[in-house]
Amino acid sequence: NLNALEAVSVTTAGGHPDTYGSGTTVMLTPRMPASTWQRTFEFMGSPAGFQSVNPLPNAPALARLRHSASGSFVLSGPVTERLGLHLAGNLAGSTRVERYSETELPSNVATLSSHFVYRANDRDHVQIFGAGERLSLPTTNRGRRSPRRSGCARGRSTRVR
């Protein structure tokens, strides 16, 4: 969820000596909580009526989108004088059909991330970042079996002086 990030840095060569391994490095910088409460909500969708239809009778479409929709939110601000929170989430889903089949193949994704920052004083602060996601996609044999599902959660804490 890009709403949770301040920056994305990609380094392909000449990485810093503190970086583990060689090759491409991707660094994600979480967005800091806002100094005043801010909130953003976004929704978008594309219903079946907005999708094109293949008018050629002997040329089946390889795949057709039935519908898609997504929504996201961001809440950011101070919880107390020293504690701030940045919370971002996203839900998205779509359904497609392939060739002559009318079997609908659904795909869904949900993400949630939080970033707490506690400021002990002007110099020291502690950051706690957590994120989780759930993903559901049709299998590689084009949905003839149940959808593949996966999920993960991750967290990180940092003390900055």
Side-chain angles (χ1 to χ4, degrees), residues 26-40:
V26 179
M27 185 170 61
L28 307 175
T29 305
R31 188 169 295 196
M32 297 295 280
S35 58
T36 61
W37 276 105
Q38 299 176 1
R39 57 203 163 274
T40 303

Side-chain angles (χ1 to χ4, degrees), residues 42 45 48 52 54 57 67 91 105 112 124 152 157-158:
E42 297 177 344
S52 64
N54 184 358
H67 71 275
L91 289 172
L105 304 172
L112 181 65
D124 300 330
C152 74
S157 65
T158 306

Side-chain angles (χ1 to χ4, degrees):
N1 186 352
L2 293 179
N3 289 325
L5 301 175
E6 183 72 34
V8 177
S9 302
V10 179
T11 305
T12 57
H16 194 272
D18 292 343
T19 306
Y20 296 109
S22 61
T24 303
T25 303
V26 179
M27 185 170 61
L28 307 175
T29 305
R31 188 169 295 196
M32 297 295 280
S35 58
T36 61
W37 276 105
Q38 299 176 1
R39 57 203 163 274
T40 303
F41 299 96
E42 297 177 344
F43 301 99
M44 69 178 145
S46 181
F50 289 0
Q51 306 308 318
S52 64
V53 177
N54 184 358
L56 302 174
N58 295 326
L62 295 180
R64 296 180 312 277
L65 183 68
R66 280 285 165 94
H67 71 275
S68 67
S70 68
S72 63
F73 72 92
V74 176
L75 299 172
S76 184
V79 177
T80 66
E81 210 173 277
R82 295 181 180 214
L83 179 66
L85 167 67
H86 183 85
L87 185 67
N90 181 39
L91 289 172
S94 66
T95 303
R96 71 176 197 273
V97 294
E98 294 186 347
R99 296 197 183 252
Y100 293 115
S101 175
E102 289 300 317
T103 303
E104 292 189 348
L105 304 172
S107 298
N108 299 295
V109 65
T111 64
L112 181 65
S113 62
S114 62
H115 187 201
F116 290 94
V117 177
Y118 178 76
R119 298 189 186 284
N121 56 43
D122 290 340
R123 290 182 343 144
D124 300 330
H125 64 275
V126 175
Q127 299 178 6
I128 299 173
F129 181 81
E133 62 186 31
R134 180 182 49 84
L135 177 65
S136 174
L137 294 170
T139 58
T140 55
N141 63 354
R142 304 297 182 192
R144 304 302 181 242
R145 295 186 210 156
S146 62
R148 182 182 66 198
R149 292 180 171 81
S150 68
C152 74
R154 56 197 166 276
R156 179 180 179 190
S157 65
T158 306
R159 179 174 178 241
V160 180
R161 289 204 87 173

